[in-house]
Amino acid sequence: MQMFKVVVNRVDELAAGIRSYELVAEPHATLPPFEAGSHIDVITPAGHTRQYSLCNDEQERHRYVIAVKREPQSRGGSASMHDTLTAGTTLTIGYPRNNFELDAHEPAVILLAAGIGITPLLAMAFRLGTQGRTFALHYFVRGDEHIAFRDILLSPRFSRWVELHRGLDAAATRATLAKILAAPPAGAGVYLCGPLPFIEAGQQCMAGKSGCNLHVEYFAAPPQAPHDGDQPFEVILARTGRTLVVPPGKSIVDTLADAGIHADVSCEQGVCGTCITPVLGGVPDHRDVYLTDEEKASGKCMMICVSRARGARLELDL
């Protein structure tokens, strides 16, 4: 994974528990361009790698803006960002990657965000507005104090496209999503980002609507059913011919690490795509939310942080 250093130029309180960080290039350096929907890997002050969506206008080449919600159950990632980062701090980040691209051919776009899920959708709103495309942004928050990027969303540039939904419980949220998605325009794109219950509610409302396209960005993997029947399997590393045994309860990535073999990995939840690996033999048991259904069906690649084998053996391009 290619990494480089940036400087925190400013830190702002956006909403309750959410801060934004403006990142700029080091002296005599430039920032790589990005597209709406992109995220960057960030090495947090606690040493963890976390993914944060770029929120600002892709036309801005002088800065990246990310927003971080302090998670109550933080394992040190978001907490260290909130507790440690100040203007002038240097951060190590990865090059922008886009797993949540806007489709340029959709005649209309519906953006559905809840909580910190506003971050990639705000960048999309900038792009859609610049292109003069038809869109609507629905933002679900617990209350006024939780509205991130309030000034931008309520500005003359965006206010006519934005509708805020405040203080709805789970049932009311589902009912509102059902109303919004009752009859989307033919060929429309629906972009969904937020907590898992919100995403699942949106997916349920989209079930059976084949005339439009659903795009989802996960911040965490959905809970998985227990895999009590997992069996050990062999992994053949094609580049060296070495064979390792992956036991139940241990990932391929962890097995590689135990053998002193480094593999690029980040989220370890099958969400970010960092550890995608070509499969040369065997059938993967896909347990990620990153690969498309077509990619999973092809069996040509897998996410080695969570996925396993459907047989006794896998051969990987490692």
Side-chain angles (χ1 to χ4, degrees), residues 66 77 97 101 104 138 185 187 235 266 288 305:
I66 60 173
R97 293 182 291 161
E101 296 182 28
H138 295 269
V235 170
S266 182
D288 65 278
C305 66

Side-chain angles (χ1 to χ4, degrees), residues 5-290:
K5 294 188 181 298
V6 293
V7 177
V8 178
N9 192 50
R10 61 180 292 170
V11 180
D12 292 307
E13 297 286 342
L14 284 185
I18 300 177
R19 289 180 179 172
S20 68
Y21 300 87
E22 181 183 80
L23 311 178
V24 298
E26 290 190 305
H28 312 297
T30 58
L31 295 177
F34 71 97
E35 295 180 343
S38 296
H39 71 271
I40 54 174
D41 291 306
V42 175
I43 307 298
T44 69
H48 303 289
T49 302
R50 296 290 183 264
Q51 293 75 43
Y52 297 110
S53 296
L54 295 173
C55 317
N56 54 308
D57 191 335
E58 65 185 20
Q59 296 185 101
E60 296 178 337
R61 294 291 184 243
H62 65 289
R63 67 175 187 156
Y64 295 156
V65 178
I66 60 173
V68 180
K69 177 183 178 182
R70 186 184 186 118
E71 298 293 346
Q73 305 302 320
S74 173
R75 293 176 295 168
S78 65
S80 72
M81 296 283 282
H82 276 246
D83 293 343
T84 306
L85 290 190
T86 58
T89 305
T90 299
L91 272 182
T92 300
I93 69 171
Y95 283 72
R97 293 182 291 161
N98 198 349
N99 306 325
F100 195 39
E101 296 182 28
L102 267 172
D103 188 327
H105 303 293
E106 292 165 338
V109 173
I110 301 171
L111 306 175
L112 302 173
I116 196 65
I118 187 63
T119 50
L121 301 189
L122 180 61
M124 291 183 178
F126 278 119
R127 181 176 184 178
L128 292 164
T130 297
Q131 294 176 337
R133 293 173 62 186
T134 299
F135 77 98
L137 170 56
H138 295 269
Y139 186 19
F140 293 73
V141 293
R142 283 185 287 166
D144 283 347
E145 70 275 19
H146 296 282
I147 302 172
F149 302 105
R150 175 199 293 266
D151 292 346
I152 295 173
L153 295 173
L154 299 182
S155 69
R157 179 176 181 180
F158 285 119
S159 58
R160 65 186 177 124
W161 307 111
V162 174
E163 185 170 352
L164 299 175
H165 305 274
R166 304 171 176 88
L168 303 183
D169 61 17
T173 296
R174 284 193 298 272
T176 302
L177 287 170
K179 183 178 180 181
I180 294 168
L181 297 172
V190 177
Y191 294 78
L192 186 61
C193 189
L196 286 172
F198 177 78
I199 288 177
E200 291 169 350
Q203 290 173 322
Q204 291 167 6
C205 293
M206 285 292 291
K209 292 182 170 64
S210 58
C212 51
N213 307 310
L214 177 63
H215 311 267
V216 177
E217 173 89 319
Y218 289 95
F219 286 144
Q224 296 227 356
H227 295 282
D228 297 333
D230 282 351
Q231 298 295 316
F233 61 96
E234 293 182 343
V235 170
I236 301 170
L237 309 181
R239 299 181 194 177
T240 62
R242 190 172 178 182
T243 298
L244 303 176
V245 176
V246 182
K250 182 167 284 191
S251 69
I252 297 175
V253 162
D254 288 341
T255 301
L256 291 170
D258 288 347
I261 301 169
H262 171 76
D264 284 339
V265 65
S266 182
C267 72
E268 299 185 68
Q269 300 181 73
V271 172
C272 72
T274 301
C275 68
I276 188 169
T277 302
V279 176
L280 304 179
V283 180
D285 177 9
H286 296 289
R287 300 181 182 181
D288 65 278
V289 294
Y290 177 84

